Amino acid sequence: MSLLEVRNLKVNVDNHEILKGIDLEINPGEVHSIMGPNGSGKSTLAQVLARRESYDVTGGEILYDGKDLLAMKPEDAACEGIFMAFQYPVEIPGISNAYFLRSALNAIRKYRGQDELDAMDFLPMFREKLKLLDMDEKQMNRSVNEGFSGGEKKRNEILQMAVLEPKLAILDETDSGLDIDALRIVANGVNAMRSPERAIIVVTHYQRLLNYIVPDFVHVLVNGRIVRSGGPELALELEEKGYGEIESEARQVTPA
Amino acid sequence: MITATEQLEIYLESFTELQKRAAGRDLPWLRQLREDAFARFCEVGFPNTHDEDWRFTNVSAIARAPFQLAQDGGLSNEEVEPFRIKGAACQLVFVNGRFVRDLSSIGKLPAGVNVNGLAEEINGNPRVLEAHFGRYLDTRRDAFCALNTAFADDGAYVHIRKGTIVEDPIFLLFISTVGDAPLMSHPRNLIVAEQESQATIVEDYVSLGESTAFCNTVTELVAGDNAVISHYMIEREHRQAFNVSTLRIQQGRSANVASHSVLLGGGLVRNNVHPVLAGEGGECLINGLFIGNGQQHLDNYMLVEHASPHCGSRQFYNGILDDRAHGVFHGRIIVHKDAQKTDAKQTNRNLLLSDDAQIDTKPQLEIYADDVKCTHGATIGQIDENALFYLRSRGIDELSARKLLLFAFASECLDRMKASPAREHVEELIHGHLLEVAHSANRFATGIPSEDTGRKWEEIG
């Protein structure tokens, strides 16, 4: 059974149709990349999968692990194993990173009927993950994302993913604005998470990240529709030709 | 409800009665102090909203209720137990403003510390007390201070001698009880911290049972040169309670005082904090947190007087208001002519969780010196929906996420309190209270109308 099945998904934002019928099937162990120009609906798809409620789903369905994802609240989706790395991670003054992360992990563990971890149990595992992402433990006593650089925020997202160990991870433009060193660290963190049980969706504008996280499948999203799907070579083709050609092809198929 | 004339008659009756039995009724200075104060109260009466200092708070509900002086309520230890805190140096219990020795535990205090009921101290040792009692409070300005002084009979007396350090908090618990008629009490506290002394004092106001009660409390806090004092005022009475409190701080040279006001309970609450930085180099932190829901009215009034050079004052107040709660932040700073190099700052941040919650925030700076730094700022906001989604997307349920965000906002105030059992006590209270507020905010967010049980104080007036 596939882990995620998106069928003819249609989504409106402010009464404007952003996704116009998306079909997508993802199996455990696979890495899918969703590429597309600005405004194509990439982030909308990621946010809907993470169950952001301000998006108006007007049609279609999403089955996650055989369950109706659209009926889930964001916290339920998270507890069922969905994780989205935010394009713009939120700063939360007054809550420390470590406390936040332990609360999140314990909420998920509780949902799954596992014992909650106290600070002593949490720390060894946490330190290991910090090392993986080359992050400083001191930083974890500071408020969530507060005063973090762009790169630190993105690394913090991957750290959270490493701690929460989702079944389906969605990286929403995690590469945007990263220098090459940070990009490598983030990619290493993600690659370390690849496993036969876990699926990853890499949403990106650029091909660059895919040199480091090599996807099994690439989908090109244009104007709310997936216009092409293929292997990793599709990403290289896009890098060479740009989105222009594929956009004009898309226009010919479905005249506006 | 009663008229203004009836009201004065009721107060006069109580006053005459009290003068016959009050502690120190034979001490001419104290008798005079009470009589003058009562005359002043009769002269000015309760303030109304035309008075600039009371613009946002209508006290006519207090003025029109026929309050009787509360009698001693015989409470058992079991009834008091839930309100006690862990780790206090001593616990003094006051029932309707009267010190109850049997419920109190003086514990092992260092030599050089005297804690007692005020009435006992007046009767036993009035000379030491006379030097400070009523010397700082301005009964001319404020009718509530005049009223308190007229009825000043009992309360807490804390005297910390030169160089004495009290590590653990001195805990003062004020319990109001139920009566057949609306009850009033006027606790009067005097805290004298001599030169180079150090202590934490917690005043905690609670109630047993629910009936209309009026607690009008005054604390005079004298901080000698180089003294370091933390003072906590915690209001958590029931929703039928009127609570008016005044903390008058007199600071000596290089004295360092922190005032923490935490308003969680009460129906109509007014908290006055009035420090006078009388000696050079003094520092005063005026830290506050008010969390209201239902129909609560929580008014924070500060009057910070810089009377000497090189003093610093910081006012930080955070408010969280839900349902139809009304909050007030009125921060007045006066920099006197000679108070050069004053550094005064005030900040008020508010979270409004419903459309009907209201905050009035008003800075008022009066500067008569020419080399000073004074800043003020205020913000009003809602719960950040992005932050809420961020937390939820990590598995934290909506209610817990809301509570976490509210607590983060409140913790700005907690962070300004030194680590101590007093802070832990406050933290625990806030956790409990925020869960309730998060619940009602959650209900609001999901569109279920809140129950309209409480009274609207303005409407009664």
Side-chain angles (χ1 to χ4, degrees), chain A residues 52-53 75 84 157 160, chain B residues 386 389-390 392 394-395 398:
Chain A
R52 188 161 198 135
E53 284 157 340
E75 54 266 40
M84 179 180 72
E157 293 293 291
Q160 292 171 22
Chain B
N386 280 326
F389 176 62
Y390 193 64
R392 294 178 70 192
R394 297 302 182 248
E398 186 176 1

Side-chain angles (χ1 to χ4, degrees), chain A residues 4-50:
Chain A
L4 185 76
E5 247 188 281
V6 180
R7 291 179 192 151
N8 197 25
L9 181 70
K10 294 180 179 173
V11 176
N12 279 11
V13 179
D14 296 332
N15 290 322
H16 189 75
E17 192 169 45
I18 301 295
L19 297 182
K20 301 171 179 173
I22 300 283
D23 290 289
L24 190 63
E25 194 175 335
I26 294 176
N27 293 306
E30 294 175 351
V31 175
H32 289 242
S33 175
I34 295 175
M35 300 186 70
N38 286 331
S40 58
K42 303 187 299 284
S43 276
T44 300
L45 178 59
Q47 303 261 346
V48 169
L49 292 175

Side-chain angles (χ1 to χ4, degrees), chain B residues 175-232:
Chain B
I175 305 173
S176 53
T177 64
V178 183
D180 301 331
L183 295 181
M184 66 172 172
S185 61
H186 303 272
R188 177 64 174 245
N189 309 311
L190 177 62
I191 301 161
V192 181
E194 290 184 12
Q195 193 179 328
E196 282 149 13
S197 63
Q198 194 177 320
T200 298
I201 292 115
V202 181
E203 294 180 30
D204 196 353
Y205 292 84
V206 305
S207 42
L208 267 174
E210 293 214 12
S211 66
T212 308
F214 169 37
C215 179
N216 173 35
T217 171
V218 166
T219 299
E220 287 178 294
L221 194 171
V222 190
D225 296 354
N226 261 335
V228 180
I229 304 297
S230 292
H231 178 275
Y232 290 74

Side-chain angles (χ1 to χ4, degrees), chain B residues 60-77:
Chain B
S60 51
I62 297 178
R64 291 186 188 187
F67 289 110
Q68 304 288 326
L69 267 186
Q71 302 303 308
D72 309 5
L75 293 185
S76 69
N77 213 3

